[in-house]
Amino acid sequence: MDIRPPYGYQEIVPLTKQHRVLLPEPRKLPLVFHNLTALPLSFTEFAAACRDYPIAFVSSDEGKSFVAMAVLGLENQQNLFVTAGGGWDAGVYLPAYVRRYPFCMTRISVNGQEQAERVACVEKRAINDKGEALHNAKGEPLPVWEERKKLLFEYEADLVRSDEMTQALAALGLLETFSMQAVPNEGSPLVMTGMYRVAEHKLVALASEKLKELTQQGILARVYAHLISLSNFGRLLDRRTGGAKPAASSAPARDPKKLN
């Protein structure tokens, strides 16, 4: 049996009713999230996330599939939203990807064949006899697990909607690569590549019936949230240096630092 941990997790195991789990304090981050430059974003999160983060699309298979991501830093292994106390900045939206930790949903492969059903899992190092019980002696879920289970399953379903959205955008040829160059007041320029955005000129050129479909599916609203959010690259630079705002470009960048 093969279980692959999601992005940012280390080793996960299927959750059982006997497990006791160390649960993080609200907005308190495990070390694994301190150095993540981006986090996956689900469909309904766009409206809240676009106020604080740049939202970009990334692809690990050369443009065949895409994932919507909230960008957290301008350099590899940089999260500009972690506070000195190890928490997430209380003034910004906390992505559901973080709020669900140490739990996740994943597919399991048996003899090399990926199973259709997703399984609720937990970070192995969070399992501890001193942790919280999630079920009572009868095996019935306790409120502490009911709340997290609701978030976990709703978020998983919402990630599917996000995936369907990126598939629709890609099928219409709306996604284009772009690079981001940030010039701080001190130090060398920072260049980020490996990102995709919706090409506005292609969006404008879409047939009216296609735009209507995107609107009815709730995708067009997310597209506008994504486009508006790109100005937040300037806010990332402000968090890092208090310097000048970055400039976007679709041209290849020199000495690129990929978003991963």
Side-chain angles (χ1 to χ4, degrees), residues 180-236:
M180 181 64 63
Q181 182 175 16
V183 184
N185 289 334
E186 297 181 2
S188 302
L190 306 171
V191 179
M192 299 179 70
T193 63
M195 299 179 292
Y196 292 78
R197 65 186 173 194
V198 171
E200 291 189 71
H201 66 282
K202 293 182 179 180
L203 184 65
V204 172
L206 272 185
S208 58
E209 61 269 19
K210 292 296 182 183
L211 284 172
K212 184 177 180 180
E213 288 178 12
L214 293 179
T215 301
Q216 292 173 335
Q217 295 166 354
I219 293 176
L220 192 59
R222 271 77 190 173
V223 167
Y224 287 131
H226 147 68
L227 292 172
I228 291 171
S229 79
L230 295 179
S231 64
N232 287 330
F233 277 107
R235 298 178 67 186
L236 290 185

Side-chain angles (χ1 to χ4, degrees), residues 23 27 33 38 43 45 51 68 90 93 96 106 112 117-118 130 132 139-140 151-152 167-168 222 243 246 259-260:
L23 301 176
R27 302 189 79 92
F33 288 111
F43 192 78
E45 290 186 283
R51 298 193 297 262
Y93 172 73
T106 190
E117 292 185 6
R118 293 181 182 268
K130 296 181 180 179
E132 294 274 355
E140 299 168 336
L151 169 64
L152 187 62
Q167 290 180 34
R222 271 77 190 173
L259 182 68
N260 52 32

Side-chain angles (χ1 to χ4, degrees), residues 9 26 28 49 58 60 64 103 112 121 135 157 189 214:
Y9 286 67
K28 191 73 174 181
V58 300
S60 60
K64 296 178 182 178
F103 306 104
C121 293
H135 297 80
L214 293 179

Side-chain angles (χ1 to χ4, degrees), residues 106-124:
T106 190
R107 285 193 174 96
I108 294 176
S109 294
V110 179
N111 297 325
Q113 297 294 319
E114 187 176 77
Q115 305 302 297
E117 292 185 6
R118 293 181 182 268
V119 177
C121 293
V122 62
E123 186 82 85
K124 185 175 181 179

